[in-house]
Amino acid sequence: MTALITADLVDLDVPSADRKATVAALAGRLVDAGRVTDLDRFLADIEAREAQMPTGLEGGIGIPHCRSTAVTEPSLAFGRSSTGVDFGAEDGHANLIFMIAAPEGGSTDHMTVLAALARRLVRASFKHELLGATDPAAVASFIQQEVGA
């Protein structure tokens, strides 16, 4: 089984404060890695999920996620934004963005990842580590270790 997140799925300097552009950039990494086969389908599925309820969490976190027929294997992409991206959280923009991509009809693994992330995100040390990281490979390894992926 392939690792849930790898260095090529980490962007430590998301280039836009626009939510759709940020989502597209992270989704592009999933396409480049062969984990998403149809970018347009995947983006439509992410937007449909976002329309149900914003995926911003308190404390500067965005967790766009969906199940999609375009996803080949459960995956996690991570982005960090210095300007922040609006994912609809009441307390403001997200600096840490976790994109969870799950295959349609697959297991509930993405919910396990979501739950593990939620438990870690309440820890200041977890967020601090990600905010200060300088190496995508180290970030991927850290997240894998923390969420048990």
Side-chain angles (χ1 to χ4, degrees):
M1 181 173 175
T2 307
L4 188 68
I5 184 171
T6 55
D8 57 329
L9 299 177
V10 175
D11 185 346
L12 296 178
D13 189 21
V14 173
S16 177
D18 178 72
R19 181 183 59 79
K20 286 187 177 187
T22 296
V23 166
L26 291 175
R29 287 179 176 266
L30 292 168
V31 169
D32 292 344
R35 294 166 181 249
V36 168
T37 58
D38 181 340
L39 180 61
D40 292 335
R41 170 80 267 146
F42 181 70
L43 291 175
D45 291 339
I46 285 277
E47 286 304 311
R49 170 59 189 86
E50 198 74 27
Q52 293 175 5
M53 174 187 284
T55 56
L57 302 178
E58 246 180 65
I61 308 299
I63 307 184
H65 60 281
C66 72
R67 287 182 174 270
S68 177
T69 57
V71 176
T72 61
E73 60 189 297
S75 301
L76 175 65
F78 171 76
R80 183 175 67 199
S81 170
S82 58
T83 58
V85 179
D86 186 3
F87 279 92
E90 290 184 19
D91 69 339
H93 290 58
N95 298 102
L96 303 175
I97 300 118
F98 300 87
M99 176 179 279
I100 301 172
E104 184 68 50
S107 68
T108 58
D109 289 347
H110 73 291
M111 294 306 290
T112 303
V113 171
L114 257 172
L117 273 175
R119 286 190 299 273
R120 298 317 182 279
L121 290 170
V122 298
R123 291 191 353 231
S125 62
F126 180 77
K127 292 191 289 188
H128 182 74
E129 178 79 23
L130 294 172
L131 287 168
T134 59
D135 176 39
V139 168
S141 178
F142 175 71
I143 291 172
Q144 286 241 138
Q145 180 181 9
E146 287 292 317
V147 300

